[in-house]
Amino acid sequence: MMRITIDQRTLHFKQPAGTSRGVYTTRRSWLVTMSDGEHTGLGECAPLPRLSCDDLPHYGQVLRECCDEVARTGVIPTRDLSRYPSMLFGLETAMRHLQGGNIDCGHGRQLPVIYDTPFTRGEEGIPINGLVWMGTHDEMLSRLETKLKQGYGCVKLKIGAIDFERELDLIAHIRERFTPEQVELRVDANGGFTPACALKRLEALAPYGIHSIEQPVMAGQWQVMARLCQDSPVPIALDEELIGVNTRERKIELLDTIKPRYIILKPSLHGGIAGTQEWVRLATERGTGSWITSALESNVGLNAIAQLAAHIYGPHIEMPQGLGTGLLYTDNIAMPLEIKGDRLWTSIHS
């Protein structure tokens, strides 16, 4: 009989992480360890407060019940757990690690294998975007300068917290120094625009060669978002809009109604590994682009998400992924991952 243990952790941000929904200073995570008596597998279950559809007051208790069922049957009930995507992702990760084993990265370090890819073997790096969190104008400018000096070819700005004109100043600052061909610029409004002002703001952003804007208005307004996707001079990417859309039929309805240019997938929010793969298949069939990002997991979740991205889009991934979150915490879980320039690598040393 399989055995699954749970270890709850609290991670601490090096600096406050600001979004239009609020500021994170800590992050709760539940690590699940699956054992069959001979091998073990590690996964991470980490719902985002006030955002995940499975952000439950008794999360630990529900997770324990799910783990007990998987331990009893040896099978992950993917359809039943689709309403608990962060739990599903953690259990899927642990099961795949249990089956895939580890890679010896040297110096006593082991990398959990979720998928066997050139990235996992340390042969290829995954291009990632540099993330600039919300803050004051001066804070964001300083963070932006740091990302540019580090050599990122794609920078993502969280917007919607300070005066919009000041945010435009930051974007203009980038374009004074770098063309769209030199630095790809993405912005994420986290639903911070109102339907009344959204199109006007998108038109104001357009002259700066923005690659895409993520979730300009709050989720759940499909007709509003469909009109924006049709009229916006800036390509629109959906993120929060996908949360809680779990069945294949509902996913098809959303994509066919809104017709976004891109969707952005976080396995902990959007149906785990199985749900993410289904979203990508359905989007690709419709000519809709996609990329994968972390949802501020520890390095345990980040490693699994990076390997999933390499499995889905690789080898030779060209689209920058949102995987630059491994340095966010003062007390992250050690994992042989490293950022070199604007790529995430598995760190393998002989």
Side-chain angles (χ1 to χ4, degrees), residues 10-320:
T10 298
L11 303 172
H12 298 82
F13 284 88
K14 292 179 180 178
Q15 62 184 30
T19 76
S20 60
R21 291 183 300 273
V23 178
Y24 295 118
T25 57
T26 61
R27 179 83 164 92
R28 285 200 303 170
S29 175
W30 286 258
L31 300 179
V32 294
T33 301
M34 189 177 290
S35 174
D36 62 5
E38 183 177 358
H39 305 97
T40 61
L42 180 64
E44 179 175 11
C45 306
L48 275 173
R50 304 183 302 279
L51 183 60
S52 297
C53 61
D54 56 355
D55 176 30
L56 308 171
H58 305 296
Y59 185 91
Q61 177 182 336
V62 177
L63 177 59
R64 180 69 268 169
E65 293 169 358
C66 292
C67 289
D68 289 345
E69 177 66 14
V70 172
R72 184 182 65 82
T73 64
V75 175
I76 297 174
T78 302
R79 183 177 295 275
D80 292 343
L81 289 182
S82 63
R83 56 188 172 144
Y84 305 128
S86 66
M87 300 182 198
L88 175 59
F89 176 60
L91 288 166
E92 288 173 314
T93 298
M95 183 73 79
R96 288 184 174 274
H97 178 205
L98 181 76
Q99 297 165 349
N102 299 294
I103 288 179
D104 183 0
C105 294
H107 308 299
R109 301 170 310 149
Q110 298 288 315
L111 181 80
V113 174
I114 313 304
Y115 290 98
D116 181 16
T117 69
F119 166 75
T120 308
R121 297 190 296 270
E123 299 166 1
E124 288 185 3
I126 299 175
I128 60 176
N129 64 257
L131 178 59
V132 177
W133 290 98
M134 288 180 174
T136 67
H137 181 275
D138 290 344
E139 287 171 340
M140 292 182 71
L141 180 59
S142 175
R143 294 167 189 167
L144 171 60
E145 294 283 0
T146 297
K147 294 300 179 185
L148 295 175
K149 288 177 182 176
Q150 289 171 343
Y152 281 91
C154 175
V155 177
K156 175 178 169 179
L157 286 171
K158 292 276 190 177
I159 64 174
I162 61 176
D163 180 76
F164 182 67
E165 295 302 321
R166 299 277 278 172
E167 291 169 338
L168 283 179
D169 287 344
L170 286 172
I171 293 169
H173 176 75
I174 300 175
R175 286 294 173 244
E176 287 170 1
R177 298 174 54 195
F178 300 98
T179 67
E181 290 72 31
Q182 292 172 316
V183 174
E184 180 178 293
L185 188 56
R186 301 172 179 174
V187 295
D188 182 3
N190 283 126
F193 297 167
T194 65
C197 77
L199 185 58
K200 183 177 180 181
R201 291 190 172 184
L202 292 168
E203 290 170 345
L205 288 165
Y208 298 104
I210 306 298
H211 171 271
S212 57
I213 181 167
E214 189 172 333
Q215 202 67 42
V217 299
M218 289 182 64
Q221 306 174 86
W222 285 19
Q223 295 304 321
V224 171
M225 191 69 84
R227 287 195 297 272
L228 284 176
C229 286
Q230 178 179 327
D231 298 338
S232 173
V234 177
I236 290 175
L238 303 184
D239 176 2
E240 289 93 335
E241 201 72 63
L242 312 181
I243 296 173
V245 180
N246 298 322
T247 66
R248 184 176 186 276
E249 294 72 23
R250 190 67 168 158
K251 291 173 184 177
I252 289 172
E253 183 181 0
L254 182 148
L255 292 170
D256 289 346
T257 299
I258 299 179
K259 296 182 174 64
R261 183 76 66 87
Y262 302 103
I263 59 173
I264 302 170
L265 295 156
K266 298 179 173 69
S268 289
L269 297 179
H270 301 137
I273 290 174
T276 296
Q277 290 174 317
E278 183 172 68
W279 272 117
V280 172
R281 284 195 301 271
L282 293 173
T284 301
E285 289 170 1
R286 288 158 176 77
T288 297
S290 64
W291 63 88
I292 291 176
T293 82
S294 73
L296 309 182
E297 291 90 353
S298 76
N299 280 334
V300 173
L302 177 62
N303 170 59
I305 295 166
Q307 291 189 37
L308 175 61
H311 172 71
I312 290 176
Y313 301 121
H316 312 306
I317 298 176
E318 296 183 1
M319 176 82 76

